[in-house]
Structure formats: C-alpha cells, structure tokens
Amino acid sequence: MSDVSMIIGGERRAARSTFGVVNPATGEVHAQAPDCTAEQLDEAFDAAAKAFVGWRADEDARRAALAAAADRLTAAADRIGPVLTAEQGKPLKSAKREAFGASHWLKYFAQLEIPREVIQDDARARVEVVRRPVGVVAAITPWNFPIMLATWKIAPALLAGNTMVLKPSPFTPRSTLLMAEILSEVFPSGVLNVVSGGDELGRWMTSHPTPRKISFTGSTATGRHIAAAAAPDLKRLTLELGGNDPAILLDDVDPAAIVEKLFRGAFDNSGQVCSAIKRVYVPEALHDQVVDALAARAAAARVGDGMDPDTELGPVQNRPQYERVGELVADALAGGATAVTGGAPVGGPGYFFQPTVITGAVEGTRLVDEEQFGPVLPILPYRDVDEVVARANATSFGLSGSVWSADPERAGAVAERLECGTAWVNAHVALGPQQPFGGTKWSGLGVENGPWGLAGYTDLQVQYRARG
Ligand code: NAD
C-alpha cells in the first residue's frame, strides 16, 4: 500500500502495484509509491489533452492558479520537507527551503508576460508574432531536487497554456506526489497529472503519441535516449543534463575569504547539483593554501541523517550513485592522487560518503573528466590563464563555470571565455527564476527559466493581416 497517490484527471489514484522507496540515510525501504500502468498513463495523457482546450483559453485563470499554487506550496513546506528528506536525504531545512524556492518560481511565472510582438504595422499589413502553447507536455525529473526541478517545468508550461503529465524519479517520487495532491486543489482537473514508476514509465511517456513536448532533467545518457525517442514524432525537447563545472581561481584571490562559498558550491546537497563545482583550478602558488582551507572546511562538515538538525550534508541519494562516487575516488587514488581529507564511505548503514578533497588527479582521470555528482572535489594546479581556460573548456559538458578574483572585471574577462551556459564571477550555483539556465554541448538543449524558458513551451505563430 502507498499512502501517497498519483493525480490523474484531478483525482487521487492508486495503482495495481507499488514499489519500495529507500531512505538513503538507512539504506532501507521506508515507504511505497504507486507503479503506474500503461493504461493509467493513457488516462493521464487523455485527461491532459481534454483539459488543454479550456486551460489554454483563459490566461487570467492560469495566472491566478499559479499564484494560488505558490501560496499552497509555501503553506505546505512543513509537510513536504520531511517527506523529501526521508527519500532524498537532504537536511530538513534544505528540504523546506526547496519547497519555498519552488513557490518563488511559481510566483515569478504567475506574473511573467507572454510576449506578443508587432513586427510590421504599415499600409500593407499588420504582422504580429504571438506565442501559442504546444499542447500536452511530458515532464520527467531527477532525484536531486525533485520539487524545485518539477516547478521549473510546471510553472512556465502551465503559464503558456499547456497541460502536463509529470513523472518524478523512482528514487524520489513521494514528495512530488504529495506536491501534486496539494496543487490539485488549485489546478482544474487534468491540467497537472503526476504519475510514478520506473524508467520504463519514462520510455512509455516519451514514445506516447499525445505529448507534443518532452521536458527532461537528468543524466546526459538518458537525455540521448529521450532525444532519439522524440525524433520520430518530432516532439519538442528541452534537455537539462549533466555538468562538469570548473571553478577557476585567479592569482589575486584570498583563499580564506572564498573558502566557504567554494565549499558550498561544491558540496551543498552532498555535491548532487547539476551545476555544482566539480573541478577547482588553482594557480600553483596558491595550491597548498587553497587545498588546506577547503580540506579543513570539508573535514568539519557535519554529515548525517537529514532529520538531525545538526546535519549539513546528508547521504548520497541512492546506492548506484554511492557506488559510483566510491569507484571514481578509488580510481583516482589508484592512479596516484591523494585524498587530503575523506576518500572513503563513512561506514555503517546508509549511503554516507566522507566529504573528500583530492589533489594530484590530472585530466584523463575519471574523477576529473566525468561528472562525479557526489561530495568529492578534485583540486588542480595551473600555470597561466590561457592554459587553464583551455583545460576548463576541454570537456564535452558545458553547463556552467566560475572565475574567482579580487578584481571582478578581470575575472569577468576570463569568465566570458568559458564555453558554458552560465559563467559566474565570485559565485557558483547562483540561480533565479529570471535567469535562463541551460547547457552547451552535452549539458543540454534549450533552457529553463525566464522568458527564454517560457518560450520553450510555446510555438511561434505569425498573425498576418493584410491591409488595403
Ligand atoms: P536519470 O537520467 O537516471 O533519470 C532522470 C529521470 O529519467 C528519472 O525520472 C528516470 O526514471 C527517467 N528515465 C530514465 N531512463 C529513461 C528513458 N530511457 N526514457 C525516459 N525516462 C527515463 O538521472 P538522475 O540520475 O535521476 O539525475 C542525475 C543527473 O541529472 C545528473 O547527471 C545531473 O547532472 C542531472 N541534472 C541536471 C540538471 C540540469 O538542470 N541540467 C539538474 C539536475 C540534475
């Protein structure tokens, strides 16, 4: 039995069977979630297609519903928080903050203008370019920020007049199902349907004839499958994929002044952030100082069950990811790198990994070249700026990056040379609903957030009225 339900056509729906959801702090199944059948998925897409007709017609009603959804989420943060912590592992205050953040996103989109542009208005014609909803959207989300990343899709898609069927990750379905139940009180039935199940359910969604668009956040490997699945039907796509973000420190930084920001940029959410710092490049002269400062900060981090109010870093979210992090560290150490702090699992139940700072790993090492997505950070020395820019860009990823300096102008000039979707100066993972977020190369296709993200949920229509 699952105490959380799917929402299909505005109704709470159980499934014939359920699957277990593990609490990563214990490694044990702590609850169940419904396993959506193919017939129920059909029903969800039917409900979304029916609801589209009325939903697209009333922009004011859409804005009012999104604003109400924002209020409901804020009010429900205390309910959502513990459910999110139990399945995701993050500290309870971060889980609640995620609900508040999601609410902030909904509020932003409730007020965002849907552009209409007059591009010609003369004796021959009045020509206007308008944005129309694409129809039903299939949305698929990962396990690192289930609530936040779901609203990054729900808010713009629904504002534009689309309806949606959303599937959370099978590792973290319950918080999204709870959110859907809460939001079902403000959206007309069929506008937002949320189903849960494994990767197979995701494949059914992407090959289903009803959705006109797939919006996906997850790994690059899955992104490729989804792009292939979308191709035969020419479904529209937004793909928010993995990253291997560099942080470049210039030679005028004061390590003590930036260590906390660097630590948070790399280790928040136990490193399971698509745009976390995943490689730090440091001038040779500052290398030891930066390593000492970061290692001391990482060693002091309080790792534990997210329900413990003292916990700063929770466990790695799931067993495969926990094993992968261990493998990448072991591979680096076998190749001659050093764990200045950490370097191994914490031991005991749950998927806890020691916050780890690695030196002596070079490009060509998996930990440097691949996305570790865990509480492990390699620090690499460099000689000159041209060299470090080339090394930072020598990756198939291009999500984001940062440059750190006492002189923001100087850092800005280097940041402009990074091949990525967001280039920060003296910050990392600084996001907002107004900023388009997306990646170059293997990090994605299209962007989320801001008017640019909204545009991704629309098709352009030219309205041409001849005169005379
Ligand atoms: P994942 O790709 O394994 O799974 C994501 C979702 O896709 C899940 O809901 C899963 O059930 C579903 N899925 C799996 N195979 C599918 C298929 N063939 N067809 C359709 N759906 C399928 O990713 P994950 O491990 O849950 O998330 C971690 C990854 O997500 C990391 O690489 C991280 O960088 C990335 N991420 C990116 C962003 C971003 O905005 N760029 C944000 C967060 C996470």
Side-chain angles (χ1 to χ4, degrees):
M1 267 295 285
S2 167
D3 57 334
V4 286
S5 311
M6 301 187 288
I7 297 291
I8 298 175
E11 288 177 6
R12 297 184 60 167
R13 295 286 299 276
R16 270 207 299 272
S17 62
T18 62
F19 60 94
V21 180
V22 169
N23 179 337
T26 63
E28 305 288 337
V29 169
H30 78 289
Q32 299 287 316
D35 199 1
C36 185
T37 63
E39 294 72 33
Q40 287 176 316
L41 181 66
D42 284 343
E43 283 178 47
F45 276 125
D46 279 354
K50 287 202 182 84
F52 178 58
V53 180
W55 182 247
R56 70 176 300 181
D58 189 346
E59 187 177 322
D60 290 344
R62 298 202 298 272
R63 292 186 187 285
L66 285 170
D71 292 341
R72 296 291 173 113
L73 268 196
T74 302
D78 285 343
R79 275 177 75 198
I80 293 172
V83 175
L84 179 53
T85 293
E87 66 181 2
Q88 206 286 333
K90 66 182 66 191
L92 182 58
K93 59 177 180 306
S94 308
K96 289 184 191 172
R97 210 182 303 128
E98 189 172 331
F100 291 131
S103 167
H104 177 56
W105 249 257
L106 284 161
K107 231 177 239 151
Y108 167 82
F109 279 102
Q111 294 176 6
L112 185 64
E113 189 193 342
I114 304 173
R116 297 178 74 96
E117 274 177 83
V118 177
I119 57 168
Q120 183 184 339
D121 192 5
D122 57 23
R124 280 169 67 90
R126 177 185 159 85
V127 183
E128 199 175 6
V129 179
V130 303
R131 299 265 170 193
R132 293 159 59 89
V134 296
V136 176
V137 175
I140 300 177
T141 52
W143 45 257
N144 56 345
F145 291 92
I147 297 296
M148 187 66 151
L149 296 176
T151 48
W152 283 23
K153 303 186 186 310
I154 295 169
L158 268 47
L159 170 65
N162 305 287
T163 56
M164 178 175 280
V165 177
L166 173 98
K167 184 194 93 67
S169 165
F171 291 113
T172 54
R174 293 169 49 82
S175 49
T176 309
L177 292 170
L178 175 59
M179 174 172 80
E181 186 189 315
I182 291 160
L183 298 188
S184 69
E185 292 165 13
V186 300
F187 292 127
S189 61
V191 166
L192 176 63
N193 306 272
V194 177
V195 294
S196 59
D199 297 351
E200 186 66 21
L201 178 61
R203 284 191 280 273
W204 294 342
M205 288 172 73
T206 55
S207 57
H208 198 281
T210 300
R212 287 308 315 144
K213 159 134 190 158
I214 304 168
S215 179
F216 171 76
T217 303
S219 63
T220 298
T222 305
R224 283 198 190 92
H225 290 300
I226 289 181
D233 190 32
L234 297 180
K235 290 179 172 44
R236 274 59 182 146
L237 268 183
T238 300
L239 301 176
E240 293 288 358
L241 308 177
N244 191 10
D245 285 16
I248 299 174
L249 277 50
L250 300 186
D251 56 11
D252 59 357
V253 293
D254 172 3
I258 61 170
V259 65
E260 185 61 23
K261 278 190 177 180
L262 288 176
F263 171 77
R264 301 287 301 269
F267 288 89
D268 263 1
N269 214 42
S270 297
Q272 301 163 118
V273 181
C274 51
S275 57
I277 299 174
K278 298 193 175 126
R279 304 172 276 161
V280 177
Y281 288 97
V282 189
E284 278 176 340
L286 287 177
H287 178 262
D288 292 355
Q289 236 183 308
V290 171
V291 168
D292 289 349
L294 267 171
R297 180 62 185 89
R302 293 181 303 274
V303 178
D305 188 325
M307 291 307 287
D308 178 341
D310 287 336
T311 292
E312 261 184 301
L313 302 181
V316 174
Q317 199 280 321
N318 58 70
R319 177 167 283 283
Q321 184 60 27
Y322 168 72
E323 285 171 356
R324 180 178 152 76
V325 169
E327 260 171 43
L328 292 181
V329 170
D331 175 72
L333 299 181
T338 304
V340 185
T341 187
V346 169
Y351 309 140
F352 293 101
F353 203 90
Q354 297 170 354
T356 297
V357 172
I358 298 278
T359 57
V362 291
E363 283 86 353
T365 311
R366 288 183 62 199
L367 177 63
V368 177
D369 294 355
E370 298 180 19
E371 181 184 40
Q372 65 270 44
F373 220 62
V376 177
L377 185 64
I379 301 181
L380 297 94
Y382 73 86
R383 285 222 170 86
D384 71 68
V385 168
D386 286 345
E387 167 217 324
V388 76
V389 167
R391 288 167 68 189
N393 287 337
T395 164
S396 304
F397 293 106
L399 194 53
S400 33
S402 58
V403 182
W404 302 71
S405 166
D407 176 352
E409 289 305 315
R410 188 175 162 228
V414 179
E416 267 189 40
R417 298 170 63 188
L418 294 179
E419 293 165 4
C420 56
T422 305
W424 287 290
V425 167
N426 294 332
H428 209 105
V429 206
L431 302 169
Q434 74 287 0
Q435 284 173 221
F437 181 74
T440 62
K441 301 190 260 183
W442 286 3
S443 289
L445 209 60
V447 296
E448 297 198 286
N449 301 330
W452 305 271
L454 176 67
Y457 288 99
T458 63
D459 286 324
L460 281 178
Q461 185 183 53
V462 175
Q463 297 188 351
Y464 185 107
R465 293 184 199 171
R467 287 205 171 109

